[in-house]
CSV table of all heavy atoms in Angstrom, one decimal:
chain,number,residue,atom,x,y,z
A,1,MET,N,-1.7,-15.5,9.7
A,1,MET,CA,-0.9,-15.0,8.4
A,1,MET,C,-1.0,-16.1,7.4
A,1,MET,O,-0.7,-17.2,7.6
A,1,MET,CB,0.5,-14.7,8.9
A,1,MET,CG,1.3,-14.1,7.8
A,1,MET,SD,0.7,-12.5,7.4
A,1,MET,CE,1.1,-11.5,8.8
A,2,LYS,N,-1.4,-15.8,6.1
A,2,LYS,CA,-1.5,-16.7,5.2
A,2,LYS,C,-0.9,-16.2,3.8
A,2,LYS,O,-1.2,-15.0,3.5
A,2,LYS,CB,-3.0,-17.1,4.9
A,2,LYS,CG,-3.1,-18.3,4.1
A,2,LYS,CD,-4.6,-18.6,4.0
A,2,LYS,CE,-4.8,-19.7,2.9
A,2,LYS,NZ,-6.2,-19.6,2.3
A,3,ILE,N,0.0,-17.0,3.3
A,3,ILE,CA,0.5,-16.5,2.0
A,3,ILE,C,0.0,-17.6,0.9
A,3,ILE,O,0.1,-18.7,1.1
A,3,ILE,CB,2.1,-16.6,2.0
A,3,ILE,CG1,2.7,-15.9,3.1
A,3,ILE,CG2,2.7,-16.3,0.6
A,3,ILE,CD1,4.1,-16.1,3.3
A,4,THR,N,-0.5,-16.8,-0.2
A,4,THR,CA,-0.9,-17.6,-1.3
A,4,THR,C,-0.3,-17.2,-2.6
A,4,THR,O,0.0,-16.0,-2.7
A,4,THR,CB,-2.5,-17.7,-1.5
A,4,THR,OG1,-2.9,-16.4,-1.4
A,4,THR,CG2,-3.2,-18.5,-0.3
A,5,VAL,N,-0.2,-18.1,-3.6
A,5,VAL,CA,0.3,-17.7,-4.8
A,5,VAL,C,-0.9,-18.1,-6.0
A,5,VAL,O,-1.3,-19.2,-5.9
A,5,VAL,CB,1.6,-18.6,-5.3
A,5,VAL,CG1,2.0,-18.2,-6.7
A,5,VAL,CG2,2.7,-18.1,-4.3
A,6,ASP,N,-1.2,-17.0,-6.6
A,6,ASP,CA,-2.1,-17.2,-7.7
A,6,ASP,C,-1.5,-17.9,-8.9
A,6,ASP,O,-0.7,-17.3,-9.5
A,6,ASP,CB,-2.8,-15.9,-8.1
A,6,ASP,CG,-3.9,-16.0,-9.1
A,6,ASP,OD1,-3.9,-17.0,-9.8
A,6,ASP,OD2,-4.8,-15.1,-9.1
A,7,LYS,N,-1.9,-19.1,-9.0
A,7,LYS,CA,-1.2,-19.9,-10.2
A,7,LYS,C,-1.5,-19.4,-11.6
A,7,LYS,O,-0.9,-19.7,-12.5
A,7,LYS,CB,-1.5,-21.4,-10.0
A,7,LYS,CG,-0.9,-22.1,-8.8
A,7,LYS,CD,-1.0,-23.6,-8.9
A,7,LYS,CE,-0.5,-24.3,-7.6
A,7,LYS,NZ,0.3,-23.6,-6.8
A,8,ASN,N,-2.6,-18.7,-11.7
A,8,ASN,CA,-3.0,-18.2,-12.9
A,8,ASN,C,-2.2,-17.0,-13.3
A,8,ASN,O,-2.1,-16.5,-14.5
A,8,ASN,CB,-4.5,-17.7,-12.9
A,8,ASN,CG,-5.5,-19.0,-12.8
A,8,ASN,OD1,-5.1,-20.0,-13.5
A,8,ASN,ND2,-6.4,-19.0,-12.0
A,9,LYS,N,-1.6,-16.4,-12.3
A,9,LYS,CA,-0.8,-15.1,-12.5
A,9,LYS,C,0.6,-15.5,-12.7
A,9,LYS,O,1.4,-14.9,-13.4
A,9,LYS,CB,-1.0,-14.1,-11.4
A,9,LYS,CG,-2.4,-13.4,-11.5
A,9,LYS,CD,-2.5,-12.4,-10.5
A,9,LYS,CE,-3.8,-11.7,-10.4
A,9,LYS,NZ,-4.0,-10.8,-9.2
A,10,CYS,N,1.2,-16.5,-11.8
A,10,CYS,CA,2.6,-16.7,-11.7
A,10,CYS,C,3.1,-17.1,-13.0
A,10,CYS,O,2.5,-18.1,-13.7
A,10,CYS,CB,2.8,-17.8,-10.6
A,10,CYS,SG,4.4,-18.4,-10.4
A,11,ILE,N,4.3,-16.7,-13.3
A,11,ILE,CA,5.0,-17.1,-14.7
A,11,ILE,C,6.1,-18.0,-14.4
A,11,ILE,O,6.9,-18.3,-15.3
A,11,ILE,CB,5.3,-15.9,-15.5
A,11,ILE,CG1,6.2,-14.9,-14.8
A,11,ILE,CG2,4.0,-15.3,-16.1
A,11,ILE,CD1,6.8,-13.8,-15.6
A,12,GLY,N,6.5,-18.2,-13.0
A,12,GLY,CA,7.5,-19.0,-12.7
A,12,GLY,C,8.9,-18.5,-12.8
A,12,GLY,O,9.9,-19.1,-12.9
A,13,CYS,N,9.1,-17.1,-12.7
A,13,CYS,CA,10.3,-16.5,-12.8
A,13,CYS,C,11.2,-16.7,-11.6
A,13,CYS,O,12.4,-16.5,-11.7
A,13,CYS,CB,10.1,-15.0,-13.1
A,13,CYS,SG,9.4,-14.1,-11.8
A,14,ASN,N,10.6,-17.1,-10.5
A,14,ASN,CA,11.3,-17.4,-9.2
A,14,ASN,C,12.1,-16.2,-8.6
A,14,ASN,O,13.1,-16.6,-7.8
A,14,ASN,CB,12.2,-18.7,-9.5
A,14,ASN,CG,12.3,-19.5,-8.2
A,14,ASN,OD1,11.5,-19.5,-7.3
A,14,ASN,ND2,13.4,-20.2,-8.1
A,15,ILE,N,11.8,-15.1,-8.9
A,15,ILE,CA,12.4,-13.9,-8.3
A,15,ILE,C,12.1,-14.0,-6.8
A,15,ILE,O,13.0,-13.7,-5.9
A,15,ILE,CB,12.0,-12.7,-8.9
A,15,ILE,CG1,12.4,-12.4,-10.3
A,15,ILE,CG2,12.3,-11.4,-7.9
A,15,ILE,CD1,11.8,-11.2,-11.0
A,16,CYS,N,11.0,-14.5,-6.5
A,16,CYS,CA,10.4,-14.6,-5.1
A,16,CYS,C,11.3,-15.4,-4.3
A,16,CYS,O,11.4,-15.2,-3.1
A,16,CYS,CB,9.0,-15.1,-5.1
A,16,CYS,SG,8.8,-16.6,-6.0
A,17,PHE,N,11.9,-16.4,-4.7
A,17,PHE,CA,12.8,-17.3,-4.0
A,17,PHE,C,13.9,-16.7,-3.1
A,17,PHE,O,13.9,-16.7,-1.9
A,17,PHE,CB,13.3,-18.5,-4.8
A,17,PHE,CG,14.0,-19.5,-3.8
A,17,PHE,CD1,13.4,-20.3,-3.0
A,17,PHE,CD2,15.4,-19.5,-3.9
A,17,PHE,CE1,14.0,-21.3,-2.3
A,17,PHE,CE2,16.1,-20.4,-3.0
A,17,PHE,CZ,15.4,-21.3,-2.2
A,18,ASP,N,14.7,-15.9,-3.9
A,18,ASP,CA,15.7,-15.2,-3.2
A,18,ASP,C,15.3,-14.1,-2.3
A,18,ASP,O,15.7,-14.0,-1.2
A,18,ASP,CB,16.7,-14.6,-4.2
A,18,ASP,CG,17.6,-15.9,-4.8
A,18,ASP,OD1,17.7,-16.8,-4.0
A,18,ASP,OD2,18.2,-15.5,-5.9
A,19,ILE,N,14.3,-13.4,-2.7
A,19,ILE,CA,13.8,-12.2,-2.0
A,19,ILE,C,13.1,-12.6,-0.8
A,19,ILE,O,13.2,-12.0,0.3
A,19,ILE,CB,12.9,-11.3,-3.0
A,19,ILE,CG1,13.8,-10.7,-4.0
A,19,ILE,CG2,12.3,-10.1,-2.1
A,19,ILE,CD1,13.0,-10.0,-5.0
A,20,SER,N,12.4,-13.7,-0.9
A,20,SER,CA,11.6,-14.2,0.3
A,20,SER,C,12.6,-15.1,1.2
A,20,SER,O,12.1,-15.6,2.3
A,20,SER,CB,10.4,-15.1,-0.1
A,20,SER,OG,10.8,-16.3,-0.5
A,21,GLU,N,13.9,-15.1,0.9
A,21,GLU,CA,14.7,-16.0,1.6
A,21,GLU,C,14.3,-17.4,1.8
A,21,GLU,O,14.4,-18.0,2.9
A,21,GLU,CB,15.1,-15.2,3.0
A,21,GLU,CG,15.7,-13.9,2.7
A,21,GLU,CD,15.8,-13.0,4.0
A,21,GLU,OE1,15.6,-13.5,5.1
A,21,GLU,OE2,16.1,-11.8,3.9
A,22,GLY,N,13.7,-17.9,0.7
A,22,GLY,CA,13.4,-19.3,0.7
A,22,GLY,C,11.9,-19.6,1.2
A,22,GLY,O,11.7,-20.8,1.4
A,23,THR,N,11.2,-18.6,1.5
A,23,THR,CA,9.8,-18.9,1.9
A,23,THR,C,8.8,-19.3,0.8
A,23,THR,O,7.9,-20.1,0.9
A,23,THR,CB,9.3,-17.7,2.7
A,23,THR,OG1,10.1,-17.5,3.9
A,23,THR,CG2,7.8,-17.8,3.1
A,24,ILE,N,9.1,-18.6,-0.4
A,24,ILE,CA,8.2,-18.9,-1.6
A,24,ILE,C,9.0,-19.1,-2.7
A,24,ILE,O,10.2,-18.6,-2.9
A,24,ILE,CB,7.5,-17.6,-1.8
A,24,ILE,CG1,6.8,-17.0,-0.6
A,24,ILE,CG2,6.5,-17.7,-3.2
A,24,ILE,CD1,6.3,-15.5,-0.8
A,25,GLY,N,8.7,-20.1,-3.6
A,25,GLY,CA,9.5,-20.4,-4.7
A,25,GLY,C,8.9,-21.5,-5.5
A,25,GLY,O,8.0,-22.2,-5.1
A,26,THR,N,9.5,-21.6,-6.8
A,26,THR,CA,8.9,-22.7,-7.6
A,26,THR,C,9.1,-24.1,-7.2
A,26,THR,O,8.5,-25.0,-7.5
A,26,THR,CB,9.4,-22.5,-9.1
A,26,THR,OG1,10.9,-22.5,-9.0
A,26,THR,CG2,9.0,-21.2,-9.8
A,27,ARG,N,10.3,-24.3,-6.3
A,27,ARG,CA,10.5,-25.6,-5.9
A,27,ARG,C,9.3,-26.2,-5.0
A,27,ARG,O,9.3,-27.3,-4.6
A,27,ARG,CB,11.8,-25.7,-5.2
A,27,ARG,CG,11.9,-25.1,-3.9
A,27,ARG,CD,13.3,-25.1,-3.3
A,27,ARG,NE,14.3,-24.4,-4.1
A,27,ARG,CZ,15.7,-24.4,-3.8
A,27,ARG,NH1,16.1,-25.0,-2.8
A,27,ARG,NH2,16.4,-23.7,-4.7
A,28,PHE,N,8.5,-25.3,-4.4
A,28,PHE,CA,7.5,-25.6,-3.5
A,28,PHE,C,6.1,-25.7,-4.2
A,28,PHE,O,5.0,-26.1,-3.6
A,28,PHE,CB,7.4,-24.5,-2.4
A,28,PHE,CG,8.7,-24.3,-1.7
A,28,PHE,CD1,9.3,-23.0,-1.7
A,28,PHE,CD2,9.4,-25.3,-1.0
A,28,PHE,CE1,10.6,-22.8,-1.2
A,28,PHE,CE2,10.6,-25.1,-0.5
A,28,PHE,CZ,11.2,-23.8,-0.6
A,29,GLY,N,6.1,-25.3,-5.4
A,29,GLY,CA,4.8,-25.4,-6.1
A,29,GLY,C,4.8,-26.6,-7.1
A,29,GLY,O,5.5,-27.5,-6.9
A,30,SER,N,4.0,-26.4,-8.1
A,30,SER,CA,3.9,-27.6,-9.2
A,30,SER,C,3.8,-26.8,-10.6
A,30,SER,O,3.4,-25.6,-10.7
A,30,SER,CB,2.7,-28.5,-8.9
A,30,SER,OG,1.6,-27.7,-8.9
A,31,ASP,N,4.1,-27.5,-11.5
A,31,ASP,CA,4.0,-27.1,-12.9
A,31,ASP,C,4.8,-25.8,-13.2
A,31,ASP,O,4.4,-24.9,-14.0
A,31,ASP,CB,2.5,-26.8,-13.4
A,31,ASP,CG,1.7,-28.0,-13.2
A,31,ASP,OD1,2.3,-29.1,-13.4
A,31,ASP,OD2,0.5,-28.0,-12.9
A,32,GLY,N,6.0,-25.7,-12.4
A,32,GLY,CA,6.7,-24.5,-12.7
A,32,GLY,C,6.2,-23.3,-12.0
A,32,GLY,O,6.8,-22.1,-12.1
A,33,LYS,N,5.2,-23.4,-11.2
A,33,LYS,CA,4.6,-22.2,-10.4
A,33,LYS,C,5.1,-22.2,-9.0
A,33,LYS,O,5.3,-23.3,-8.5
A,33,LYS,CB,3.0,-22.3,-10.5
A,33,LYS,CG,2.4,-22.6,-12.0
A,33,LYS,CD,2.4,-21.4,-12.8
A,33,LYS,CE,1.8,-21.7,-14.1
A,33,LYS,NZ,1.2,-20.6,-14.8
A,34,ALA,N,5.1,-21.0,-8.5
A,34,ALA,CA,5.6,-20.9,-7.1
A,34,ALA,C,4.6,-21.4,-6.1
A,34,ALA,O,3.3,-21.4,-6.3
A,34,ALA,CB,6.0,-19.4,-6.8
A,35,GLY,N,5.2,-21.9,-5.0
A,35,GLY,CA,4.3,-22.3,-3.9
A,35,GLY,C,5.1,-21.8,-2.5
A,35,GLY,O,6.0,-21.1,-2.6
A,36,VAL,N,4.4,-22.1,-1.4
A,36,VAL,CA,4.9,-21.6,-0.2
A,36,VAL,C,5.6,-22.8,0.4
A,36,VAL,O,5.2,-23.9,0.6
A,36,VAL,CB,3.9,-21.1,0.7
A,36,VAL,CG1,4.4,-20.7,2.1
A,36,VAL,CG2,3.1,-19.9,0.1
A,37,ASN,N,6.9,-22.5,0.9
A,37,ASN,CA,7.7,-23.5,1.8
A,37,ASN,C,7.0,-24.1,2.9
A,37,ASN,O,6.5,-23.4,3.8
A,37,ASN,CB,9.0,-22.8,2.1
A,37,ASN,CG,9.9,-23.8,2.7
A,37,ASN,OD1,9.6,-25.0,3.1
A,37,ASN,ND2,11.2,-23.5,2.9
A,38,PRO,N,6.5,-25.4,2.9
A,38,PRO,CA,5.8,-25.9,4.0
A,38,PRO,C,6.5,-25.8,5.3
A,38,PRO,O,5.9,-26.0,6.3
A,38,PRO,CB,5.6,-27.3,3.6
A,38,PRO,CG,6.6,-27.7,2.6
A,38,PRO,CD,7.0,-26.4,1.8
A,39,GLU,N,7.9,-25.6,5.3
A,39,GLU,CA,8.6,-25.5,6.5
A,39,GLU,C,8.8,-24.1,7.0
A,39,GLU,O,9.5,-23.8,8.0
A,39,GLU,CB,9.9,-26.2,6.4
A,39,GLU,CG,9.8,-27.7,6.2
A,39,GLU,CD,11.1,-28.4,6.0
A,39,GLU,OE1,12.1,-27.7,6.1
A,39,GLU,OE2,11.1,-29.5,5.7
A,40,ALA,N,8.3,-23.2,6.2
A,40,ALA,CA,8.4,-21.7,6.6
A,40,ALA,C,7.7,-21.5,7.9
A,40,ALA,O,6.5,-21.9,8.0
A,40,ALA,CB,7.9,-20.8,5.5
A,41,ASP,N,8.4,-20.8,8.8
A,41,ASP,CA,7.7,-20.3,10.0
A,41,ASP,C,7.1,-18.9,9.9
A,41,ASP,O,7.7,-17.9,10.1
A,41,ASP,CB,8.7,-20.2,11.1
A,41,ASP,CG,8.1,-20.0,12.6
A,41,ASP,OD1,6.9,-19.8,12.6
A,41,ASP,OD2,8.9,-20.1,13.6
A,42,LEU,N,5.7,-19.0,9.6
A,42,LEU,CA,5.1,-17.7,9.3
A,42,LEU,C,4.7,-17.0,10.7
A,42,LEU,O,4.0,-15.9,10.5
A,42,LEU,CB,3.7,-18.1,8.5
A,42,LEU,CG,3.9,-18.7,7.2
A,42,LEU,CD1,2.6,-18.8,6.5
A,42,LEU,CD2,5.0,-18.1,6.4
A,43,SER,N,5.1,-17.4,11.8
A,43,SER,CA,4.9,-16.7,12.9
A,43,SER,C,6.1,-15.8,13.2
A,43,SER,O,6.0,-14.9,14.1
A,43,SER,CB,4.8,-17.7,14.2
A,43,SER,OG,5.9,-18.4,14.4
A,44,LYS,N,7.1,-15.8,12.3
A,44,LYS,CA,8.4,-15.0,12.5
A,44,LYS,C,8.1,-13.7,11.7
A,44,LYS,O,7.9,-13.8,10.5
A,44,LYS,CB,9.6,-15.7,12.1
A,44,LYS,CG,10.0,-16.8,13.1
A,44,LYS,CD,11.4,-17.2,12.7
A,44,LYS,CE,12.0,-18.2,13.8
A,44,LYS,NZ,13.1,-19.0,13.2
A,45,LYS,N,8.4,-12.7,12.4
A,45,LYS,CA,8.2,-11.3,11.8
A,45,LYS,C,9.2,-11.1,10.5
A,45,LYS,O,8.7,-10.7,9.5
A,45,LYS,CB,8.5,-10.2,12.8
A,45,LYS,CG,8.0,-8.9,12.3
A,45,LYS,CD,8.2,-7.9,13.5
A,45,LYS,CE,8.0,-6.5,13.0
A,45,LYS,NZ,9.1,-5.6,13.4
A,46,GLU,N,10.4,-11.6,10.7
A,46,GLU,CA,11.3,-11.4,9.5
A,46,GLU,C,10.9,-12.3,8.3
A,46,GLU,O,11.2,-12.0,7.3
A,46,GLU,CB,12.8,-11.7,10.0
A,46,GLU,CG,13.0,-13.0,10.5
A,46,GLU,CD,12.9,-13.1,12.1
A,46,GLU,OE1,12.1,-12.4,12.7
A,46,GLU,OE2,13.5,-14.0,12.7
A,47,VAL,N,10.3,-13.4,8.6
A,47,VAL,CA,9.8,-14.3,7.5
A,47,VAL,C,8.7,-13.6,6.8
A,47,VAL,O,8.7,-13.5,5.4
A,47,VAL,CB,9.4,-15.6,8.0
A,47,VAL,CG1,8.8,-16.5,6.9
A,47,VAL,CG2,10.6,-16.4,8.6
A,48,ILE,N,7.8,-13.1,7.5
A,48,ILE,CA,6.7,-12.3,6.8
A,48,ILE,C,7.2,-11.0,6.2
A,48,ILE,O,6.7,-10.8,5.0
A,48,ILE,CB,5.7,-11.9,8.0
A,48,ILE,CG1,5.0,-13.1,8.5
A,48,ILE,CG2,4.6,-10.9,7.3
A,48,ILE,CD1,4.2,-13.9,7.6
A,49,GLU,N,8.2,-10.3,6.7
A,49,GLU,CA,8.7,-9.2,6.0
A,49,GLU,C,9.4,-9.4,4.7
A,49,GLU,O,9.2,-8.8,3.8
A,49,GLU,CB,9.6,-8.4,7.0
A,49,GLU,CG,9.2,-7.7,8.2
A,49,GLU,CD,7.9,-6.7,7.6
A,49,GLU,OE1,8.2,-5.9,6.7
A,49,GLU,OE2,6.8,-6.7,8.3
A,50,ALA,N,10.1,-10.6,4.8
A,50,ALA,CA,10.8,-10.9,3.5
A,50,ALA,C,9.8,-11.4,2.4
A,50,ALA,O,9.8,-11.2,1.3
A,50,ALA,CB,11.8,-12.1,3.8
A,51,ALA,N,8.6,-12.0,3.0
A,51,ALA,CA,7.5,-12.5,2.0
A,51,ALA,C,6.8,-11.4,1.4
A,51,ALA,O,6.5,-11.3,0.2
A,51,ALA,CB,6.6,-13.4,2.8
A,52,LYS,N,6.7,-10.3,2.2
A,52,LYS,CA,6.0,-9.1,1.7
A,52,LYS,C,6.9,-8.4,0.7
A,52,LYS,O,6.3,-7.9,-0.3
A,52,LYS,CB,5.8,-8.1,2.9
A,52,LYS,CG,4.5,-8.5,3.7
A,52,LYS,CD,4.3,-7.5,4.8
A,52,LYS,CE,3.0,-7.8,5.5
A,52,LYS,NZ,3.0,-7.0,6.8
A,53,THR,N,8.2,-8.3,0.9
A,53,THR,CA,9.0,-7.8,-0.1
A,53,THR,C,9.0,-8.6,-1.4
A,53,THR,O,9.0,-7.9,-2.5
A,53,THR,CB,10.4,-7.7,0.4
A,53,THR,OG1,10.5,-7.1,1.7
A,53,THR,CG2,11.4,-7.0,-0.5
A,54,ALA,N,9.0,-9.8,-1.3
A,54,ALA,CA,8.9,-10.7,-2.5
A,54,ALA,C,7.5,-10.4,-3.2
A,54,ALA,O,7.5,-10.4,-4.5
A,54,ALA,CB,9.0,-12.2,-2.1
A,55,ALA,N,6.5,-10.2,-2.4
A,55,ALA,CA,5.1,-10.0,-3.0
A,55,ALA,C,5.2,-8.6,-3.8
A,55,ALA,O,4.6,-8.6,-5.0
A,55,ALA,CB,4.0,-9.9,-2.0
A,56,GLU,N,5.9,-7.7,-3.3
A,56,GLU,CA,6.0,-6.4,-4.0
A,56,GLU,C,6.9,-6.6,-5.2
A,56,GLU,O,6.6,-5.9,-6.2
A,56,GLU,CB,6.6,-5.4,-3.0
A,56,GLU,CG,5.5,-4.9,-2.0
A,56,GLU,CD,6.3,-4.1,-0.8
A,56,GLU,OE1,7.5,-3.7,-1.1
A,56,GLU,OE2,5.6,-4.0,0.1
A,57,ALA,N,7.8,-7.5,-5.1
A,57,ALA,CA,8.8,-7.6,-6.2
A,57,ALA,C,8.3,-8.4,-7.4
A,57,ALA,O,8.8,-8.4,-8.5
A,57,ALA,CB,10.1,-8.1,-5.8
A,58,CYS,N,7.3,-9.3,-7.1
A,58,CYS,CA,6.8,-10.2,-8.1
A,58,CYS,C,6.2,-9.4,-9.2
A,58,CYS,O,5.4,-8.6,-9.2
A,58,CYS,CB,5.7,-11.2,-7.5
A,58,CYS,SG,4.9,-12.0,-8.8
A,59,PRO,N,6.7,-9.7,-10.5
A,59,PRO,CA,6.4,-8.9,-11.6
A,59,PRO,C,4.9,-9.2,-12.1
A,59,PRO,O,4.3,-8.2,-12.7
A,59,PRO,CB,7.3,-9.4,-12.8
A,59,PRO,CG,7.7,-10.7,-12.3
A,59,PRO,CD,7.8,-10.7,-10.8
A,60,MET,N,4.4,-10.2,-11.6
A,60,MET,CA,2.9,-10.6,-11.9
A,60,MET,C,2.0,-10.3,-10.8
A,60,MET,O,0.8,-10.6,-10.9
A,60,MET,CB,2.8,-12.1,-12.3
A,60,MET,CG,3.8,-12.4,-13.4
A,60,MET,SD,3.7,-11.4,-14.8
A,60,MET,CE,2.1,-11.8,-15.6
A,61,GLN,N,2.5,-9.8,-9.7
A,61,GLN,CA,1.6,-9.6,-8.5
A,61,GLN,C,0.9,-10.9,-8.2
A,61,GLN,O,-0.4,-10.8,-7.8
A,61,GLN,CB,0.6,-8.5,-8.8
A,61,GLN,CG,1.3,-7.2,-9.4
A,61,GLN,CD,1.4,-6.2,-8.4
A,61,GLN,OE1,0.4,-5.6,-7.9
A,61,GLN,NE2,2.6,-5.8,-8.1
A,62,ALA,N,1.5,-12.0,-8.2
A,62,ALA,CA,0.9,-13.3,-8.0
A,62,ALA,C,0.9,-13.7,-6.6
A,62,ALA,O,0.1,-14.6,-6.2
A,62,ALA,CB,1.7,-14.3,-8.8
A,63,ILE,N,1.7,-12.9,-5.7
A,63,ILE,CA,1.7,-13.4,-4.2
A,63,ILE,C,0.8,-12.5,-3.4
A,63,ILE,O,0.8,-11.3,-3.6
A,63,ILE,CB,3.1,-13.3,-3.8
A,63,ILE,CG1,4.1,-14.1,-4.6
A,63,ILE,CG2,3.2,-13.6,-2.2
A,63,ILE,CD1,5.5,-13.8,-4.3
A,64,LYS,N,-0.1,-13.2,-2.7
A,64,LYS,CA,-1.0,-12.5,-1.8
A,64,LYS,C,-0.6,-12.9,-0.3
A,64,LYS,O,-0.5,-14.1,0.0
A,64,LYS,CB,-2.4,-13.0,-2.2
A,64,LYS,CG,-3.5,-12.1,-1.6
A,64,LYS,CD,-4.8,-12.5,-2.2
A,64,LYS,CE,-5.9,-12.1,-1.3
A,64,LYS,NZ,-7.2,-12.9,-1.7
A,65,ILE,N,-0.7,-11.8,0.5
A,65,ILE,CA,-0.4,-12.0,1.9
A,65,ILE,C,-1.6,-11.5,2.7
A,65,ILE,O,-1.9,-10.3,2.6
A,65,ILE,CB,0.9,-11.4,2.4
A,65,ILE,CG1,2.1,-12.0,1.6
A,65,ILE,CG2,1.1,-11.6,3.9
A,65,ILE,CD1,3.4,-11.5,1.8
A,66,GLU,N,-2.3,-12.4,3.5
A,66,GLU,CA,-3.4,-12.0,4.3
A,66,GLU,C,-3.0,-11.9,5.7
A,66,GLU,O,-2.4,-13.0,6.3
A,66,GLU,CB,-4.5,-12.9,4.0
A,66,GLU,CG,-5.1,-12.8,2.6
A,66,GLU,CD,-5.9,-14.0,2.3
A,66,GLU,OE1,-5.5,-15.1,2.0
A,66,GLU,OE2,-7.2,-13.9,2.4
A,67,GLU,N,-3.3,-10.9,6.3
A,67,GLU,CA,-3.0,-10.8,7.7
A,67,GLU,C,-3.9,-11.7,8.6
A,67,GLU,O,-5.1,-11.8,8.3
A,67,GLU,CB,-3.2,-9.3,8.2
A,67,GLU,CG,-2.3,-8.2,7.2
A,67,GLU,CD,-0.9,-8.1,7.7
A,67,GLU,OE1,-0.6,-8.4,8.9
A,67,GLU,OE2,-0.1,-7.6,6.9
B,101,F3S,FE1,5.7,-16.5,-9.7
B,101,F3S,FE2,6.0,-14.1,-8.9
B,101,F3S,FE3,7.4,-15.9,-7.9
B,101,F3S,S1,5.7,-14.8,-11.0
B,101,F3S,S2,7.7,-17.5,-9.4
B,101,F3S,S3,5.3,-15.7,-7.7
B,101,F3S,S4,8.2,-13.8,-8.4
């Protein structure tokens, strides 16, 4: 499972942070763009589900989740 944020699309609104329950957010990226929390446990189903919800909610469709 891999989560990536397209920095060319991300506008740094940080909606993803709350929705992903801290897995994705601007505090983990650079230049105000979102990144993935290096401490996120991507083997947990609930973490992935929250990340998927955040990907759907991102207004720029900047979050990509690869199975
Ligand atoms: Fe960027 Fe989308 Fe999050 S625009 S800050 S990845 S909600």
Side-chain angles (χ1 to χ4, degrees):
M1 189 64 68
K2 193 178 168 206
I3 302 171
T4 49
V5 176
D6 186 334
K7 291 191 182 344
N8 294 319
K9 290 183 181 170
C10 177
I11 55 169
C13 65
N14 210 27
I15 291 170
C16 50
F17 183 74
D18 283 338
I19 297 177
S20 72
E21 296 169 10
T23 296
I24 307 159
T26 52
R27 72 181 63 181
F28 311 117
S30 55
D31 301 329
K33 313 278 182 161
V36 179
N37 185 344
E39 293 179 7
D41 185 353
L42 302 185
S43 67
K44 283 192 178 161
K45 198 173 162 230
E46 58 267 31
V47 172
I48 295 300
E49 287 305 314
K52 281 183 180 170
T53 306
E56 284 165 16
C58 172
M60 304 309 291
Q61 312 260 294
I63 302 167
K64 193 171 153 194
I65 298 175
E66 292 166 282
E67 308 273 342

